Amino acid sequence: PYDPTPLIALSILHSVAGDTDAAISSLSSAMDLPETAGDYMLASRMGALLANQGRYLPALRLYDQALTARPALVRAHYNRAVALLNAH
């Protein structure tokens, strides 16, 4: 088993540094690990990264994935609404 924590931390560091592409790459690698299958927080975080790049449709799919797993995730509801507004 692999620990996704370093990849998630690296994604956060890249995001804070303004390197969204690297943040997406690191988080994508973490999401590819079997240990993170169905992780709603990672789906929500990836949705936010993609939405910040203007990639609203893939972001919406990830927010939907997160909300299917955790319907009470308020941040995903809010971010999904913002992505919907921006997509149109």
Side-chain angles (χ1 to χ4, degrees):
Y2 294 99
D3 182 5
T5 306
L7 290 168
I8 295 166
L10 189 58
S11 174
I12 293 167
L13 290 173
H14 285 307
S15 182
V16 169
D19 191 350
T20 306
D21 290 331
I24 289 171
S25 178
S26 296
L27 193 55
S28 180
S29 294
M31 292 175 74
D32 287 342
L33 296 174
E35 292 80 5
T36 62
D39 188 316
Y40 64 90
M41 286 303 297
L42 294 185
S44 183
R45 286 180 184 160
M46 180 64 85
L49 288 170
L50 294 173
N52 287 338
Q53 283 193 327
R55 297 166 61 187
Y56 301 114
L57 295 180
L60 287 168
R61 284 191 289 274
L62 286 160
Y63 291 137
D64 287 342
Q65 179 183 333
L67 290 167
T68 297
R70 185 75 174 235
L73 189 60
V74 174
R75 180 175 296 262
H77 281 287
Y78 175 82
N79 287 343
R80 185 180 188 284
V82 171
L84 275 172
L85 289 171
N86 288 327
H88 296 288

